[in-house]
């Protein structure tokens, strides 16, 4: 019944999102946005009712599996950062370093409860802050007693409203549903889930004074509490001087606590003007400024510009903290001398990682085998990376890009092969495709998470899908990031720098780099290749992913052409056998490969076919697939033109 109800609603949500990506008039866009938001609301109500009925029937069981509390809170931060930023709320997650985080329990259900509490906190708060704090109540050799509280500065509740709060289908008062929406089931489900975990949930609140919801749980600890990452950061950060500027008192207190756990000499202040006074008056220079973007008076970006101009070469490294990562700020931040942009809310680990990355970036990258714009931290140079991808063309593109940066790369063709690989070898990062045969990426990520936590083995999703909810599904499966195909080199490297486990890989990578440079010496007199201008094909962008290796590019286009010739017959065969999912995946794979090779027209055609196949619209597939062969031939002919130009240029140079 759950499947029967959810399936058509998911189709409505998915199709509405796809429609919003097409060319629409403003009126049409407004109508479809209403369809989208209403279907999302209906799906939320259905999910609540199904969960409640499952609990009521005694059919919901609580798992007892190993998990890391840090991972649950990191996922929470990623999920709600934008919503808090959108309402101009300070969002804080405070997990003290002395609390053991590797526990046994049900991370999915704990996350469900915290999502409900934080969602409510943001919904009922118009200004101020949302503070998620973990407190250690007690601890023995094998258990911890924890309190996780979610505090807001919202509308609050009186005594009568609090009394009705955890009853099913009720809210604080009858006007709440009209103003804020919801079923009134969320807190009832949350209480039942926490009780099934052997804990309890409560609330303290006053009308107009905000609310604090708290969960108290007793959870068994895993035998080994791996603190190697924490010790590594202490080793790197011990004794460093940091000046943190933030106008929120709770955030300043949290930063002090976090950085002291890394033995950092930290000082905090509220405004940019105070920071400038401290920098002028303090005789001992600071190593890093951690600056909030939004400050009263002079903003954080202006402060960084001023410090960079006035202190020049003597300026400390600077990290800009933003309520939500603003991609458009990257160029301004770089011009202001800012080394990193840190998204709020950050945990102790992400803050420590950002500081270490900022402090230990190599300043003078002059080696011939490195790109000047890369600026990879020494601690991840030569790191071993597992690339999980079933499409050979996408494998080659990613492999070329990663190896050009000195990473050591192994390839697994599906999720099960990835699990086998990590049993044999420790990797610093996994790049995981989502849709693969044998075992898909989401399933593989969940299985990896049962063995390794976020700090031990980060996983980044790589997918050609841009559907709403894809990123949330990746995060809930245990991945840290979501990289879209076709691969954008800057975005990929930025994600690797952010998440890759630091270590001592550099010596190996230097030796490997020397071999590669000797094997393929660069020719300083080599002319830049002239790429033909062809409608629907981006040669320049595609070749940049392959370090302008034209022979490799031509080989990959040839491979694509051979593999996808006679596609109408192959897809017809899939459909005849009832293998609709195989047909959809066939188009999905083509979409990703064509995108990576800059074949935009072919990519667009494959995307349309994947969409029609997913919707079960076989007539539309039949109508559209005839154009696929034409786009494929067009791409092949354009590649032949490129080959002729390249050969002519090679003859001129010889």
């Amino acid at each position: 019944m759950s499947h029967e109800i959810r399936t058509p609603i998911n189709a409505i949500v998915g199709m509405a999102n796809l429609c919003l990506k097409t060319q629409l008039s403003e009126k049409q866009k407004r109508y479809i946005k209403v369809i989208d938001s209403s279907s999302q609301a209906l799906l939320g109500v259905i999910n609540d009712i199904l969960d409640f009925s499952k609990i009521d029937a005694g059919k919901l069981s609580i798992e007892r599996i190993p998990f890391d509390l840090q991972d649950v809170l990191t996922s929470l931060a990623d999920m709600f950062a934008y919503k808090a930023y959108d309402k101009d709320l300070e969002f804080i997650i405070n997990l003290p370093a002395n609390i053991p985080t590797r526990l046994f329990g049900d991370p999915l259900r704990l996350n469900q409860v915290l999502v409900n509490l934080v969602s409510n906190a943001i919904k009922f708060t118009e200004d101020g802050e949302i503070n998620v704090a973990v407190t250690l109540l007690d601890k023995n050799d094998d258990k911890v007693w924890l309190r996780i509280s979610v505090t807001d500065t919202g509308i609050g509740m009186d005594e009568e409203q609090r009394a009705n709060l955890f009853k099913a289908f009720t809210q604080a008062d009858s006007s709440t549903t009209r103003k804020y929406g919801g079923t009134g089931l969320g807190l009832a489900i949350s209480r039942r889930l926490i009780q099934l975990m052997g804990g309890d949930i409560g609330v303290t609140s006053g009308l107009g004074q905000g609310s604090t919801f708290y969960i108290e749980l007793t959870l068994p600890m895993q035998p080994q509490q791996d603190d190697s990452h924490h010790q590594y950061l202490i080793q790197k950060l011990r004794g460093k001087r940091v000046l943190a500027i933030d106008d929120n008192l709770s955030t300043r207190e949290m930063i002090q606590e976090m950085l002291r756990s890394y033995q950092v000499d930290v000082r905090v202040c509220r405004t940019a003007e105070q920071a400038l006074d401290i920098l002028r008056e303090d005789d001992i220079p600071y190593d890093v400024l951690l600056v909030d973007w939004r400050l009263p008076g002079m903003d954080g970006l202006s402060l960084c510009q001023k410090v960079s101009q006035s202190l020049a070469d003597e300026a400390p490294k600077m990290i800009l903290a933003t309520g939500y990562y603003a991609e458009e700020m990257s160029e301004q931040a770089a011009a202001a001398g800012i080394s990193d942009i840190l998204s709020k809310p950050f945990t102790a680990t992400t803050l420590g990682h950002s500081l270490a990355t900022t402090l230990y970036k190599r300043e003078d990258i002059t080696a011939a085998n490195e790109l000047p714009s890369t600026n990879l931290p020494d601690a991840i140079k030569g790191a071993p990376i597992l690339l999980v991808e079933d499409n050979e063309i996408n494998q080659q593109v990613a492999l070329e890009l990663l190896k050009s940066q000195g990473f050591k790369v192994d390839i697994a063709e599906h999720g099960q092969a990835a699990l086998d690989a990590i049993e044999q070898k420790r990797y610093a990062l996994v790049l995981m495709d989502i849709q693969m045969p044998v075992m898909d990426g989401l399933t593989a990520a969940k299985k990896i998470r049962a063995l390794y936590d976020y700090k031990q083995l980060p996983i980044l999703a790589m997918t050609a899908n841009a559907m709403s909810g894809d990123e949330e599904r990746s995060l809930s499966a245990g991945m840290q990031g979501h990289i879209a195909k076709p691969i954008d080199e800057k975005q990929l490297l930025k994600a690797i720098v952010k998440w890759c486990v630091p270590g001592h890989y550099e010596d190996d990578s230097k030796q490997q780099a020397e071999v590669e440079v000797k094997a393929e010496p660069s020719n300083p007199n080599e002319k830049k290749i002239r790429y033909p201008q062809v409608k629907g094909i981006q040669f320049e962008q595609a070749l940049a992913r392959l370090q302008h290796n034209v022979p490799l590019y031509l080989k990959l286009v040839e491979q694509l052409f051979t593999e996808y010739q006679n596609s109408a017959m192959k897809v017809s065969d899939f459909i005849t056998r009832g293998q609709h999912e195989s047909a959809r995946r066939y188009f999905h794979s083509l979409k990703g490969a064509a995108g990576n090779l800059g074949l935009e027209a072919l990519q667009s055609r494959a995307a349309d076919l994947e969409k029609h196949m997913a919707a079960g619209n076989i007539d539309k597939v039949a109508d559209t697939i005839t154009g696929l062969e034409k786009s494929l031939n067009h791409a092949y002919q354009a590649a032949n033109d490129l080959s002729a130009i390249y050969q002519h240029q090679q003859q001129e140079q010889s």
Side-chain angles (χ1 to χ4, degrees):
M1 186 172 171
S2 166
H3 174 75
E4 294 301 324
I5 295 172
R6 282 189 175 109
T7 300
I9 297 294
N10 277 318
I12 295 167
V13 171
M15 287 300 137
N17 271 275
L18 284 172
C19 197
L20 283 169
K21 296 177 191 302
T22 62
Q23 292 294 321
L24 300 168
S25 70
E26 285 305 309
K27 184 185 282 189
Q28 289 170 326
K29 194 176 288 185
R30 192 165 65 247
Y31 291 165
I32 291 172
K33 280 184 176 177
V34 172
I35 293 171
D36 182 46
S37 60
S38 300
S39 340
Q40 295 277 11
L42 180 58
L43 187 58
V45 172
I46 288 167
N47 286 340
D48 278 353
I49 292 169
L50 290 169
D51 265 352
F52 190 77
S53 60
K54 196 182 287 185
I55 295 170
D56 225 30
K59 297 292 184 185
L60 193 144
S61 57
I62 296 295
E63 287 194 294
R64 188 181 182 277
I65 60 172
F67 77 99
D68 193 324
L69 183 60
Q70 168 95 25
D71 299 347
V72 173
L73 296 178
T74 300
S75 173
L76 196 70
D78 290 336
M79 202 173 294
F80 287 103
Y82 182 74
K83 287 183 180 176
Y85 170 78
D86 211 31
K87 292 187 76 172
D88 202 15
L89 301 173
E90 187 79 6
F91 186 16
I92 302 160
I93 291 186
N94 192 354
L95 177 64
N98 67 326
I99 295 180
T101 61
R102 301 193 68 194
L103 309 167
F104 288 102
D106 193 329
L108 187 68
R109 293 302 178 181
L110 177 59
N111 183 67
Q112 183 180 345
V113 173
L114 290 173
V115 163
N116 181 253
L117 296 181
V118 173
S119 179
N120 281 345
I122 292 172
K123 186 195 296 185
F124 295 113
T125 305
E126 292 306 319
D127 60 83
E129 66 183 51
I130 313 295
N131 194 331
V132 181
V134 185
T135 308
L136 183 64
L137 301 176
D138 201 0
K139 173 186 169 187
N140 63 20
D141 291 340
D142 57 359
K143 286 181 185 174
V144 287
W145 284 259
L146 297 178
R147 176 184 292 133
I148 307 173
S149 59
V150 179
T151 303
D152 64 61
T153 53
I155 58 176
M157 292 168 284
D158 60 26
E159 190 175 342
E160 185 182 347
Q161 290 170 333
R162 292 197 304 274
N164 291 321
L165 204 57
F166 294 100
K167 294 177 183 175
F169 301 102
T170 63
Q171 293 190 319
D173 62 45
S174 58
S175 66
T176 304
T177 303
R178 287 196 300 275
K179 184 173 180 183
Y180 297 101
T183 58
L185 272 178
L187 288 172
I189 292 170
S190 295
R191 168 168 271 184
R192 299 285 286 274
L193 288 173
I194 294 297
Q195 286 172 342
L196 285 170
M197 293 181 200
D200 202 4
I201 184 170
V203 61
T204 59
S205 183
L207 201 59
Q209 301 298 311
S211 305
T212 297
F213 285 84
Y214 57 88
I215 300 163
E216 292 187 353
L217 284 171
T218 306
L219 295 169
M221 290 190 292
Q222 295 175 37
Q224 299 297 321
Q225 294 294 316
D226 181 13
D227 67 345
S228 57
H229 189 74
H230 185 72
Q231 293 304 320
Y232 174 85
L233 289 173
I234 289 176
Q235 178 193 336
K236 288 289 186 184
L237 301 177
R238 183 186 288 120
K240 297 296 181 184
R241 302 195 79 222
V242 174
L243 175 60
I245 306 101
D246 199 295
D247 60 323
N248 183 278
L249 176 61
S250 303
T251 303
R252 292 200 300 274
E253 289 174 347
M254 181 193 67
I255 289 171
Q256 276 189 305
E257 188 178 343
M258 283 179 174
L259 292 184
R260 282 172 181 163
S261 75
Y262 293 124
Q263 300 176 24
V264 169
D265 179 6
V266 57
R267 183 171 178 183
V268 297
C269 64
R270 182 175 178 274
T271 66
E273 290 77 11
Q274 289 172 343
L276 290 171
D277 290 341
I278 291 169
L279 290 171
R280 275 193 294 267
E281 294 163 8
D282 209 327
D283 295 332
I284 306 172
Y286 286 89
D287 297 294
V288 178
L289 292 190
L290 176 61
V291 186
D292 187 29
W293 175 30
R294 293 183 173 180
L295 294 171
M298 185 189 299
D299 66 57
L301 192 61
S302 302
L303 169 62
C304 292
Q305 288 168 337
K306 191 153 191 158
V307 170
S308 187
Q309 289 163 5
S310 59
L311 297 179
D313 293 340
E314 296 176 4
K317 304 279 189 184
M318 290 178 286
I319 298 172
L320 189 68
T322 69
Y324 183 74
Y325 185 79
E327 187 65 41
E328 65 274 10
M329 287 184 62
S330 296
E331 289 184 17
Q332 290 174 279
I338 293 163
S339 300
D340 193 15
I341 297 179
L342 186 63
S343 300
K344 285 184 172 182
F346 43 76
T347 61
T349 303
T350 51
L351 176 58
H353 196 109
S354 177
L355 283 170
T357 301
T358 298
L359 284 164
Y360 294 99
K361 274 182 179 174
R362 179 179 288 184
E363 297 299 329
D364 53 339
I365 298 182
T366 55
N369 62 307
E370 290 177 20
L371 295 176
S373 61
T374 304
N375 210 20
L376 291 176
D378 288 344
I380 65 168
K381 287 188 180 296
I385 290 177
L386 179 63
L387 173 65
V388 191
E389 168 68 67
D390 66 316
N391 183 285
E392 286 184 34
I393 293 165
N394 292 337
Q395 286 175 6
Q396 285 288 334
V397 172
L399 192 65
E400 191 74 14
L401 197 156
L402 293 166
K403 283 197 168 183
S404 73
Q405 303 302 325
F407 293 113
K408 289 173 284 204
V409 186
D410 291 337
I411 293 175
E413 294 183 348
H414 48 72
Q416 184 56 56
L419 291 172
D420 296 340
I422 65 168
E423 280 184 13
Q424 304 298 322
K425 179 176 174 179
R426 286 299 295 269
Y427 292 95
L429 184 79
V430 176
L431 295 172
M432 181 81 74
D433 187 27
I434 300 296
Q435 299 191 28
M436 296 178 289
V438 184
M439 182 188 291
D440 65 76
L442 297 177
T443 305
K446 288 174 185 173
K447 288 180 180 290
I448 291 172
R449 275 291 155 261
L451 302 170
Y452 299 101
D453 64 29
Y454 284 64
K455 297 190 290 291
Q456 293 172 311
L457 186 57
I459 309 170
L460 298 177
M462 294 179 69
T463 176
N465 260 8
M467 287 276 288
S468 172
D470 284 336
E471 189 159 3
E472 288 82 353
R473 280 190 284 276
S474 301
L475 292 171
S476 64
M479 306 196 201
Q480 279 100 312
H482 192 87
I483 297 161
K485 293 176 187 172
I487 299 166
D488 181 298
E489 182 176 11
K490 287 183 181 177
Q491 292 303 319
L492 176 61
L493 291 177
K494 187 188 292 180
I496 291 173
V497 167
K498 181 177 181 181
W499 293 112
C500 190
V501 175
H504 302 289
Y505 315 114
E506 199 176 354
D507 292 341
D508 293 339
S509 73
K510 280 181 181 174
Q511 291 171 9
Q512 183 184 0
E514 284 171 13
V515 171
E516 288 173 1
V517 170
K518 284 173 187 171
E520 296 183 25
S522 59
N523 181 2
N525 299 317
E526 190 172 303
K527 292 180 184 176
K528 189 179 177 184
I529 299 158
R530 299 184 305 275
Y531 298 126
Q533 300 297 308
V534 182
K535 186 179 178 183
I537 298 177
Q538 296 291 338
F539 282 124
E540 186 79 39
Q541 293 172 5
L543 267 298
R545 292 186 192 102
L546 297 170
Q547 317 311 308
H548 299 279
N549 186 335
V550 176
L552 175 60
Y553 179 81
L554 294 172
K555 176 186 165 189
L556 294 177
V557 173
E558 176 84 37
Q559 190 175 327
L560 184 82
F561 181 73
T562 304
E563 188 175 340
Y564 286 94
Q565 264 188 315
N566 302 316
S567 50
M569 288 176 61
K570 290 175 187 173
V571 171
S572 175
D573 193 38
F574 281 135
I575 293 170
T576 304
R577 295 179 185 176
Q579 297 173 336
H580 288 202
E581 178 57 23
S582 297
R584 189 200 60 76
R585 197 162 57 230
Y586 178 85
F587 293 131
H588 178 83
S589 183
L590 173 60
K591 178 178 72 174
N596 274 328
L597 294 175
L599 309 175
E600 290 182 341
L602 183 60
Q603 178 191 9
S604 175
R605 184 84 64 178
D608 288 342
L609 284 159
E610 182 192 12
K611 179 180 70 176
H612 297 324
M613 201 66 236
N617 199 333
I618 307 302
D619 289 344
K620 279 282 181 72
V621 172
D623 291 342
T624 312
I625 202 166
T626 52
L628 188 66
E629 202 83 23
K630 189 186 293 183
S631 297
L632 191 63
N633 286 326
H634 177 68
Y636 186 65
Q637 289 304 318
N640 285 337
D641 293 345
L642 172 63
S643 177
I645 291 169
Y646 177 72
Q647 287 172 6
H648 179 69
Q649 187 167 323
Q650 293 299 103
Q651 288 168 0
E652 281 184 345
Q653 288 175 357
S654 61

